[in-house]
Amino acid sequence: MADSFTTKTLHISSGGDESVSDLTADCERFLREAAAGRSGLLNVFVPHATAGIALIETGAGSDTDLLAALRDLLPADSRWQHRHGSPGHGRDHVLPAFVPPHATLPVIDGHLALGTWQSVCLVDTNVDNPDRQVRLSFLG
């Protein structure tokens, strides 16, 4: 069987707050149709300069801990050279150096091959842009 490439864009609204949004169920829904039981790779990409994709446990506080750690590491204050937008918005433009805007994940028999506690998440600290796109692409 020849390799195939399928892609879809998700539209995510963070509500204008710092957020960690779990995309795992969206990825699995996409793979049910796109992979149709095949193995391959899923690429998750956020085409924004102020958001990232992380593999993290959710629901047990790790998502809140991640946002707290990012606030400590990248405080929203006046130190940033990039100064448009909300106060401290320059830190949002540094975020993708710490939480990259992409992840490539193994797909086995049509399902994500994640660890027990891993979830695919959009990490968004930019309160000025509550509407995000996330591109899912399957190659298999």
Side-chain angles (χ1 to χ4, degrees):
M1 173 181 262
D3 287 343
S4 66
F5 178 81
T6 306
T7 191
K8 173 184 180 174
T9 301
L10 302 175
H11 298 277
I12 308 295
S13 178
S14 64
D17 293 320
E18 293 182 349
S19 63
V20 175
S21 302
D22 190 341
L23 305 176
T24 310
D26 295 299
C27 292
E28 286 288 355
R29 270 191 294 280
F30 169 71
L31 289 171
R32 273 196 290 280
E33 185 175 319
R38 297 187 320 269
S39 296
L41 296 172
L42 174 68
N43 181 264
V44 183
F45 175 71
V46 56
H48 299 281
T50 58
I53 300 296
L55 296 181
I56 187 172
E57 177 181 7
T58 59
S62 296
D63 38 354
T64 303
D65 290 342
L66 173 59
L67 291 174
L70 289 171
R71 275 186 227 107
D72 288 345
L73 183 64
L74 305 170
D77 59 21
S78 63
R79 74 183 68 199
W80 308 101
Q81 298 299 309
H82 189 103
R83 294 186 189 266
H84 75 84
S86 300
H89 173 65
R91 67 111 178 209
D92 301 324
H93 287 274
V94 176
L95 173 75
F98 295 91
V99 182
H102 60 88
T104 301
L105 308 168
V107 176
I108 307 298
D109 298 329
H111 298 282
L112 283 173
L114 296 175
T116 302
W117 303 111
Q118 287 180 314
S119 296
V120 181
C121 296
L122 170 67
V123 179
D124 187 0
T125 60
N126 183 357
V127 299
D128 294 336
N129 186 1
D131 299 311
R132 298 302 192 158
Q133 296 177 8
V134 177
R135 179 164 298 281
L136 305 178
S137 300
F138 175 73
L139 178 63

